[in-house]
Amino acid sequence: MYAMKSSNFIHKMFRKYYRSEGSSMLEAPPEIEKREFGFIMFEGGMLRHKGFKSKDELVTFMKDFAPSDAYYSCAYYENPEAEMDEKGWLGADLVFDIDADHIRTPCNKVHDSWICVNCGFAGRGYTPEKCPSCGMEKFEEKTWPCEVCLETAKNETMKLIDILTADFGFSPKEVKVYFSGHRGYHVHVESETVQELDAVARKEIVDYIIGLGLDVNFHGFNVYGSSIIGPSLDDAGWRGRIAKGTYEFLLKASANDFKRLGLRKRTIEKILSQRNHILERWGQRNPWALLKGIVGKNWIKIAEYGAKFQTSQIDTVVTTDIHRLIRLNGSLHGKTGFRKIQIQQNNIESFDPLKEAITFRDGALKVFVSEAPELRVGEETYGPFKECKVELPTAVAMLLLCKGAAEVLNNV
Ligand SMILES: [Zn+2]
Ligand SMILES: [Zn+2]
């Protein structure tokens, strides 16, 4: 937690935002009067079971209280302000959360750290399930919005959008994409066809997307010794994705990558010597027939591996929770001072969260930084910092303050 003085300062800055441009940035969810709202307050604690009749009411609340974090329910309720079992669940949007916390990236080791709340044992990289020292399961984590992590999460998001539109047939208008303001992306499907799906039905959608139980043998393969029929790039659903995954693997794989799949040296040599020929013709029907002298079961191994990279690493718990609270669009993220922002689907590839979600663009602040890794905000890179006084652009200083990695010096 941040020191009192810094907490007051962040609160003051958040309030300033909601009383100026923030009021027009906030996006009320459809049918706002049926949603439950929840807020994390700077004064401490979480306020839940709030309801608003209109966007104006919500905006007034945000101006008055300027919470650290603001959420609304993916669900629609008869009585959003009632206790959980008396709300009268009417349906829910289908929401997806893709967060770098759930994706293994090589840089987590460098910039993330954790400390056991019970005994103080600390480490870097992924938080373990149990403390190696005392065995307890409660940690304080420090994670950072880093470029590599954010780019990885964005790739997973693009794969998800492709599955939702191509395989499930949602129109681009029904699928809204957002940057969360911290380390990930949110995808909301707002369509009548999904509203009444229960948790079990949502779990089936999740399983399809993460490829749970996917057996490539059932997706267009017919293997007789070294003669093989398999799926093509223009096949629908997982068939096409398996063909694409295999192509992408073949494009980049080294001899070692094949070895890791358990292929023998002679087989690997055969594949590598034919690689260009295979890749050039991969767009044809049954490209697998091009492969001479390699037994079918080896291709199945490659196809299984390629298919894995076509799945999207969503947070499975979020999607199946039909009461989930999700961050309000246009509101600030209490851990960064960035805001949740919508992304147009045709711009997602070039979208740069570390530029576009910046909120506090004016001026500079003097802060004392206890510890922070190197960070890019906007065009510039800052840090790493350790025990030092620095003057930084407001957005960078706010990020460090919100992370609890810095304290304000005489700005207040
Ligand atoms: Zn411990
Ligand atoms: Zn990273």
Side-chain angles (χ1 to χ4, degrees):
M1 238 24 259
Y2 14 76
M4 202 54 195
K5 188 174 152 199
S6 294
S7 171
N8 288 341
F9 180 80
I10 298 166
H11 194 185
K12 199 180 90 183
M13 293 294 281
F14 275 36
R15 183 177 283 125
K16 208 164 124 192
Y17 167 73
Y18 289 119
R19 291 187 177 178
S20 54
E21 82 262 36
S23 60
S24 55
M25 297 284 185
L26 290 170
E27 180 199 56
E31 303 191 65
I32 184 170
E33 71 286 355
K34 293 183 184 152
R35 310 282 190 161
E36 179 202 350
F37 283 77
F39 305 94
I40 297 175
M41 310 303 280
F42 277 100
E43 295 78 5
M46 174 137 192
L47 179 65
R48 276 198 75 163
H49 312 297
K50 274 290 288 175
F52 297 102
K53 295 267 171 297
S54 66
K55 185 182 170 182
D56 284 348
E57 254 185 39
L58 168 66
V59 171
T60 305
F61 178 93
M62 296 299 282
K63 283 180 180 172
D64 286 349
F65 293 94
S68 155
D69 298 87
Y71 308 90
Y72 70 93
S73 62
C74 65
Y76 303 80
Y77 298 108
E78 267 169 49
N79 305 302
E81 296 201 311
E83 286 300 307
M84 219 58 218
D85 45 358
E86 283 158 21
K87 280 190 189 320
W89 189 84
L90 300 168
D93 300 327
L94 183 63
V95 296
F96 299 93
D97 180 20
I98 293 163
D99 199 293
D101 290 349
H102 299 271
I103 308 169
R104 297 212 156 232
T105 55
C107 44
N108 286 60
K109 267 240 166 313
V110 183
H111 55 68
D112 293 351
S113 58
W114 49 268
I115 177 160
C116 170
V117 172
N118 183 47
C119 75
F121 192 88
R124 290 202 162 272
Y126 292 96
T127 311
E129 271 178 29
K130 279 190 178 144
C131 171
S133 171
C134 73
M136 297 291 275
E137 295 172 8
K138 226 174 155 214
F139 300 95
E140 228 167 71
E141 295 173 302
K142 201 161 275 175
T143 59
W144 293 90
C146 117
E147 280 206 86
V148 179
C149 288
L150 286 171
E151 199 58 28
T152 312
K154 192 165 90 173
N155 275 328
E156 296 302 311
T157 308
M158 291 196 290
K159 286 189 282 179
L160 170 65
I161 295 167
D162 188 57
I163 295 174
L164 290 174
T165 49
D167 296 16
F168 286 90
F170 294 115
S171 76
K173 232 179 64 198
E174 294 168 313
V175 179
K176 290 187 181 167
V177 191
Y178 301 89
F179 170 59
S180 72
H182 189 209
R183 303 229 303 153
Y185 291 84
H186 296 166
V187 176
H188 302 188
V189 179
E190 291 169 359
S191 157
E192 261 180 43
T193 53
V194 299
Q195 276 176 17
E196 286 181 29
L197 296 178
D198 62 10
V200 177
R202 286 167 206 253
K203 177 72 169 56
E204 280 193 39
I205 295 175
V206 164
D207 290 350
Y208 183 91
I209 291 164
I210 64 172
L212 188 76
L214 178 74
D215 183 341
V216 302
N217 288 292
F218 297 133
H219 290 270
F221 282 104
N222 247 322
V223 180
Y224 317 94
S226 65
S227 125
I228 178 169
I229 295 172
S232 315
L233 280 177
D234 52 5
D235 282 340
W238 270 108
R239 290 190 179 203
R241 291 182 199 288
I242 289 164
K244 188 169 171 233
T246 306
Y247 175 87
E248 285 174 4
F249 176 71
L250 287 176
L251 198 62
K252 291 186 200 142
S254 66
N256 263 336
D257 292 330
F258 286 108
K259 215 168 141 191
R260 245 175 269 133
L261 297 183
L263 269 58
R264 295 224 173 117
K265 198 164 167 246
R266 267 192 56 214
T267 310
I268 298 170
E269 277 165 8
K270 269 187 207 162
I271 296 174
L272 289 176
S273 68
Q274 300 178 58
R275 166 148 67 182
N276 289 340
H277 171 76
I278 298 167
L279 290 173
E280 274 165 31
R281 289 164 182 77
W282 201 258
Q284 297 176 3
R285 277 229 76 77
N286 193 29
W288 313 81
L290 298 163
L291 318 164
K292 302 284 183 250
I294 298 148
V295 282
K297 70 170 201 299
N298 284 330
W299 282 114
I300 297 288
K301 277 184 196 160
I302 296 172
E304 275 170 353
Y305 192 73
K308 258 191 223 156
F309 291 94
Q310 298 300 308
T311 64
S312 174
Q313 297 189 58
I314 54 175
D315 180 337
T316 58
V317 176
V318 172
T319 306
T320 48
D321 181 354
I322 56 169
H323 301 286
R324 192 81 185 184
L325 293 182
I326 37 184
R327 193 172 293 279
L328 179 67
N329 185 30
S331 70
L332 297 173
H333 198 301
K335 280 185 187 158
T336 58
F338 295 149
R339 69 176 184 278
K340 177 162 170 176
I341 176 176
Q342 189 175 2
I343 310 158
Q344 295 312 314
Q345 266 174 53
N346 44 4
N347 288 340
I348 181 159
E349 208 162 348
S350 60
F351 175 80
D352 180 354
L354 295 175
K355 261 188 209 161
E356 291 170 66
I358 296 177
T359 301
F360 300 103
R361 291 179 186 273
D362 300 331
L365 284 175
K366 279 192 207 118
V367 289
F368 176 81
V369 190
S370 44
E371 193 180 2
E374 185 180 282
L375 295 161
R376 176 173 72 82
V377 177
E379 302 283 358
E380 308 256 343
T381 305
Y382 305 88
F385 300 107
K386 184 139 189 152
E387 309 274 325
C388 58
K389 284 182 192 173
V390 269
E391 182 165 331
L392 293 165
T394 308
V396 185
M398 282 296 285
L399 171 61
L400 297 175
L401 290 170
C402 288
K403 279 285 171 191
E407 306 220 7
V408 269
L409 298 170
N410 307 313
N411 302 285
V412 273

